[in-house]
Amino acid sequence: MGLLSLLLVLVLQTVHQSCRAQSDLVFRVGAVIGMVGQCTEINDAHLGYQMFANMLDNPDTSLFVEDAAGARRRIRFNYTRYNDDCEGKKHEALIGTLVNKDRVHFLFGSTPVFAFSESVLANDAKRLLYHCCVGPDSVYEMDMKYIYGIQASNTKYSEGAAKSMALAGNVKNLFIFYLDDNVFTHTTCENAIEYSLSVVHQLNEEFHIERVVKYKSADAAADPQFYPSLVDQAMSIGADAILGCDFKEPGFQVAKAVADRDYYLKALWLTVAPAYEDFADTLGPDASEHVLTPVQWHPATKFADPYFGTATDYSERYNRAYGLIPSYVSAGASAAGYSLTMAIQDAFRRCTFPEQGVDADSLLFTAGLLQCEQVVGERGTGYERVMRSLVKQQINTFFGEIALNSFRRNVALSPITAQIQSGVLQATLPIEVANKALVMPKPPPKDEDSGAEKIGTLHKDAFITVVVVVVGSFLILCLAVLLTLGRSRQQSRMLERMLVISPDDLLIINHPVRLCDGSYECGKAMHRNTLVALEPLTEVKQKEMELNAKLSRSKSYKHSSRNGSSVTIVKDSDPRMAFKEDRTRTRSTELGISNQPLDVPHTAYPQDDLEAPALIIQGPVSEGVEDLQLQPSKPSTSAANGAAALQGPPQATALQPRSKVNFNLGNTHSEDLDPYLQHPLRVSTSNAHFNLQGLEAPQLTRAQILRLVWRSKCLQHPSVLPVSGIMWSLPSVP
């Protein structure tokens, strides 16, 4: 039983393979692609061809030929690749091997270096050669029947960049170099020169080509410093842009030489090299950033087709297969394979396949095998039908639109100007396919003066920095001033609340008592649960005069408020002060203050102390002190009257309340006092008469008085003035 089952499986597999062999159309395709020198980039073409062939082998991504009867045949590519080591003779020999030994049906193109030779060989062998990566028109203008090309013409490579240099970059002096013995580099830069002179110069008359250097491969190989010397030539003529046509390694050297010399260029345009994925990583941002290069395709373009999907889809598939980002070379190779397959599909759409005996060879080369609708001009073999289908083809692909002209090269595709930005190659021109805006001119280095915008003698950024610092400092200063003023006002209000005492807050225990010797014993009162002393103002005056008997004079200022209260400040060279506040009669009555004058003999005072009359400050203590004016009091007309003036306050009347507040300052040095208290008084006396004519009294503001009182208060001993540091002085008592 087991043996029978095994035989059945073998039979079924044989039948399946036979059916598959009959249903699949396997086309033999091949390419000769090198990997070194000028052929380095073409290895990407091999990867593009191989990826498409693998996709055709995948059942999930298969493509079919469907005949008029609805029969379907699967299309497959048997892809063969040979490496020519970028040698011309070897390349030609391997093309012969593909044609004669491998008997390929179709050839895929390789590098422009061997484009002419392999085109001639393929055309002579009557094998369709589809170029993926050859742009020069001269190859197609030979009008060889079997030669096709998918790339746009390289003559248009520099057009977008050159116009941008002249219009947006303000480039005036252009330096051009190119490899003269290569058809791609030669034709690319020759057309750039012609376009610049005929078109770009008309757009900007200041734009001109300063120098053109052309050379051969042998010249560059003989001198290791050949490409850096090209940069030196550009610097010597003051070129502000370089346009170069060569391959990978020369492009790397030129970009590095520009960066090493710290030479600022508004634009650097190079063929081939910047399109390599390792260009930015190898050279770094100083050499690679904002370098321009022409490409045929970019992963960010908005092209798509039913098979590959979008350009982004293709890029992701390629990356999964090889771990690389596809270049325009690999994308062009895959697109060429897809375009050929579409031509095969279309060629046999109106034909009927025989039920058996149909393979790729018979389909392409056996005349009369197929029964097709008779269309004028479509007779011939299947191979000829494929060629005609390809010529008429007009399709959209992930690579872009494909439409061939009479020379069988794609004319529907426009080349893309790409630029490295932040280490990544971005599509910038034309605008309809761009994913980033073109940066033109290249921004100058930060330490480069050329092209930097200035305001006055400063760069724009430096000027902005200075403005910000100055304005910021000014705002901070204003804030500090506001905070200081606010704090000062707050302290002033605090001092006022602490230093201004209302008589309502005093509870009189006993009044001052006059002793036999004429002195007084302090009275007592309670001020907010604190025992304070009540001392007559005349007693304070007497003690101060006794302490300062050796001093030549003293100054007395009397301040009278607008509401009837007054404060007397007594000042000697020893900075002590006493403030006397007269309150209203109702206040005096409530405190039980006597209205009788104190009897102080004038002999108790030194005569010198009588030379300074009292000064009156108009205004109350608790408010409006800022506006007080110091005015001299009227002097007595006789010595007796002068002595009587010191015997205490005048007898109180119904309109003269006599309550007083005494702030006793401790001993301080004269230099600690505010200078406005050092105002000199010039007083002349004659028979105890005071001549105060022309006397100018100093003015004290409320804040100044409070500062002096606060200074005095802070110097008091707690045991003497336990809470407020203030002693109340009452008028004379009997």
Side-chain angles (χ1 to χ4, degrees):
M1 188 67 179
L3 182 60
L4 292 175
S5 299
L6 180 60
L7 291 174
L8 181 61
V9 170
L10 292 175
V11 170
L12 292 175
Q13 288 180 348
T14 302
V15 172
H16 176 72
Q17 291 176 357
S18 177
C19 293
R20 177 178 177 181
Q22 292 180 359
S23 61
D24 289 355
L25 297 173
V26 181
F27 297 94
R28 295 184 296 274
V29 299
V32 179
I33 298 174
M35 299 177 61
V36 296
Q38 296 179 3
C39 304
T40 304
E41 66 170 339
I42 300 301
N43 187 61
D44 289 350
H46 160 64
L47 298 179
Y49 294 139
Q50 184 67 67
M51 179 176 142
F52 178 70
N54 293 339
M55 290 179 66
L56 291 178
D57 281 340
N58 189 337
D60 296 332
T61 53
S62 298
L63 291 174
F64 298 86
V65 173
E66 185 175 347
D67 65 5
R72 301 180 69 191
R73 300 290 189 274
R74 181 180 176 184
I75 300 174
R76 297 175 62 202
F77 280 179
N78 183 7
Y79 170 67
T80 302
R81 177 264 181 109
Y82 290 115
N83 184 359
D84 60 6
D85 296 325
C86 208
E87 297 178 4
K89 291 184 178 180
K90 189 174 181 179
H91 184 89
E92 295 176 3
L94 290 174
I95 290 292
T97 300
L98 286 173
V99 172
N100 300 314
K101 181 179 179 180
D102 298 315
R103 300 182 63 83
V104 296
H105 300 125
F106 306 104
L107 289 169
F108 286 134
S110 60
T111 175
V113 176
F114 307 126
F116 280 103
S117 62
E118 71 176 2
S119 294
V120 171
L121 291 172
N123 193 68
D124 292 345
K126 297 183 179 181
R127 288 295 180 267
L128 187 155
L129 172 61
Y130 204 163
H131 283 297
C132 72
C133 313
V134 175
D137 292 336
S138 56
V139 175
Y140 305 102
E141 289 171 353
M142 294 171 67
D143 198 16
M144 292 180 284
K145 180 180 178 180
Y146 291 88
I147 309 304
Y148 297 77
I150 198 173
Q151 277 198 356
S153 174
N154 65 315
T155 59
K156 300 180 180 180
Y157 273 9
S158 63
E159 291 182 0
K163 285 192 292 186
S164 297
M165 289 180 192
L167 298 179
N170 196 28
V171 171
K172 299 178 181 179
N173 300 323
L174 179 63
F175 177 85
I176 297 178
F177 70 90
Y178 65 89
L179 181 65
D180 193 35
D181 56 356
N182 180 276
V183 61
F184 166 71
T185 58
H186 170 81
T187 56
T188 299
C189 269
E190 284 291 337
N191 282 278
I193 295 171
E194 181 181 353
Y195 184 78
S196 297
L197 296 176
S198 62
V199 177
V200 179
H201 182 69
Q202 301 299 322
L203 300 175
N204 183 358
E205 294 182 354
E206 294 183 347
F207 177 87
H208 65 278
I209 299 173
E210 190 70 22
R211 182 177 297 178
V212 176
V213 177
K214 55 183 179 180
Y215 52 91
K216 298 186 181 300
S217 300
D219 300 330
D223 183 6
Q225 295 298 316
F226 179 80
Y227 293 105
S229 68
L230 293 178
V231 177
D232 293 335
Q233 293 186 51
M235 295 174 60
S236 66
I237 63 174
D240 48 10
I242 293 178
L243 189 150
C245 302
D246 211 311
F247 292 95
K248 179 180 179 180
E249 186 59 32
F252 275 63
Q253 291 189 40
V254 169
K256 184 176 185 301
V258 172
D260 290 344
R261 286 155 176 75
D262 197 24
Y263 184 60
Y264 171 66
L265 290 172
K266 294 180 179 179
L268 175 60
W269 186 94
L270 300 171
T271 57
V272 180
Y276 278 85
E277 186 178 0
D278 62 341
F279 182 80
D281 295 336
T282 302
L283 297 180
D286 291 340
S288 65
E289 194 68 7
H290 299 109
V291 174
L292 299 163
T293 189
V295 296
Q296 293 277 343
W297 173 85
H298 189 274
T301 54
K302 308 302 179 183
F303 302 132
D305 61 60
Y307 187 69
F308 286 104
T310 64
T312 302
D313 294 335
Y314 174 83
S315 179
E316 293 174 351
R317 184 186 293 273
Y318 187 93
N319 185 263
R320 288 194 299 269
Y322 303 113
L324 301 171
I325 297 175
S327 67
Y328 69 91
V329 173
S330 55
S334 296
Y338 176 69
S339 174
L340 178 60
T341 305
M342 293 296 99
I344 294 172
Q345 285 183 332
D346 184 68
F348 304 106
R349 194 179 305 278
R350 292 182 297 274
C351 299
T352 301
F353 295 156
E355 295 182 358
Q356 295 181 351
V358 178
D359 58 12
D361 288 324
S362 60
L363 183 67
L364 295 174
F365 300 112
T366 302
L369 177 65
L370 302 175
Q371 297 179 0
C372 301
E373 296 179 8
Q374 294 298 321
V375 179
V376 178
E378 288 192 357
R379 293 183 180 182
T381 63
Y383 206 89
E384 292 173 335
R385 296 183 70 88
V386 172
M387 292 171 61
R388 287 194 298 266
S389 176
L390 192 57
V391 169
K392 295 185 298 182
Q393 187 177 83
Q394 188 170 355
I395 60 175
N396 291 314
T397 71
F398 78 96
F399 188 71
E401 187 176 0
I402 298 174
L404 306 184
N405 65 0
S406 59
F407 292 117
R408 292 164 294 278
R409 65 95 38 84
N410 189 11
V411 292
L413 192 66
S414 296
I416 297 171
T417 299
Q419 185 178 47
I420 296 178
Q421 297 181 10
S422 301
V424 179
L425 190 68
Q426 307 287 2
T428 56
L429 292 174
I431 297 176
E432 56 268 21
V433 300
N435 69 314
K436 292 288 184 179
L438 176 69
V439 178
M440 179 67 70
K442 175 185 176 182
K446 293 182 179 180
D447 58 346
E448 181 66 46
D449 291 337
S450 177
E453 184 177 355
K454 289 187 175 182
I455 300 177
T457 59
L458 297 176
H459 290 291
K460 181 177 180 180
D461 293 341
F463 179 80
I464 293 175
T465 302
V466 170
V467 171
V468 170
V469 170
V470 171
V471 173
S473 301
F474 178 75
L475 293 177
I476 293 174
L477 179 61
C478 292
L479 180 61
V481 171
L482 291 175
L483 292 175
T484 302
L485 292 176
R487 186 172 181 181
S488 176
R489 292 179 180 178
Q490 182 179 7
Q491 184 180 24
S492 177
R493 289 193 296 268
M494 178 189 68
L495 293 175
E496 181 180 343
R497 289 194 300 268
M498 296 180 65
L499 298 175
V500 177
I501 299 175
S502 172
D504 293 338
D505 295 333
L506 281 178
L507 178 60
I508 303 299
I509 299 175
N510 60 280
H511 295 284
V513 178
R514 184 173 182 177
L515 303 179
C516 296
D517 58 359
S519 64
Y520 290 86
E521 179 181 345
C522 291
K524 295 180 177 60
M526 293 297 295
H527 176 248
R528 297 180 181 176
N529 298 324
T530 302
L531 183 64
V532 296
L534 303 178
E535 186 174 0
L537 182 60
T538 52
E539 183 71 10
V540 175
K541 177 65 178 178
Q542 179 180 358
K543 291 180 178 179
E544 291 177 350
M545 289 181 175
E546 291 174 352
L547 291 173
N548 297 286
K550 295 182 180 181
L551 299 177
S552 62
R553 63 180 63 214
S554 65
K555 302 176 183 65
S556 175
Y557 304 101
K558 183 178 180 182
H559 305 263
S560 178
S561 64
R562 289 186 297 270
N563 59 8
S565 61
S566 65
V567 177
T568 298
I569 303 175
V570 180
K571 174 183 176 297
D572 296 340
S573 58
D574 183 13
R576 300 185 177 209
M577 302 183 66
F579 292 79
K580 182 182 75 174
E581 176 178 340
D582 288 343
R583 301 292 182 176
T584 63
R585 183 173 56 176
T586 54
R587 299 287 188 198
S588 176
T589 305
E590 291 174 0
L591 294 174
I593 300 174
S594 172
N595 291 329
Q596 297 183 8
L598 293 174
D599 219 357
V600 182
H602 66 275
T603 56
Y605 300 94
Q607 183 65 26
D608 292 339
D609 293 326
L610 299 179
E611 295 179 1
L615 299 179
I616 298 175
I617 304 177
Q618 298 293 338
V621 176
S622 58
E623 59 183 3
V625 181
E626 304 94 310
D627 302 323
L628 298 182
Q629 294 289 337
L630 290 171
Q631 300 176 357
S633 61
K634 296 180 180 180
S636 302
T637 58
S638 64
N641 291 337
L646 296 177
Q647 292 180 3
Q651 186 175 0
T653 66
L655 298 178
Q656 291 179 324
R658 300 288 300 280
S659 60
K660 306 184 186 74
V661 180
N662 172 33
F663 301 87
N664 191 4
L665 300 178
N667 290 331
T668 59
H669 297 289
S670 60
E671 58 267 19
D672 293 334
L673 290 177
D674 293 326
Y676 50 72
L677 292 179
Q678 307 292 336
H679 184 82
L681 298 177
R682 297 181 180 180
V683 182
S684 62
T685 62
S686 177
N687 297 325
H689 286 79
F690 303 103
N691 182 10
L692 298 180
Q693 294 181 357
L695 176 63
E696 295 182 0
Q699 299 181 2
L700 293 178
T701 65
R702 181 191 192 94
Q704 292 166 345
I705 294 174
L706 291 177
R707 280 201 301 271
L708 289 174
V709 174
W710 175 255
R711 184 183 302 168
S712 173
K713 175 186 173 184
C714 292
L715 294 174
Q716 302 305 312
H717 194 279
S719 62
V720 177
L721 304 169
V723 175
S724 62
I726 299 172
M727 294 189 299
W728 281 77
S729 294
L730 298 179
S732 57
V733 295

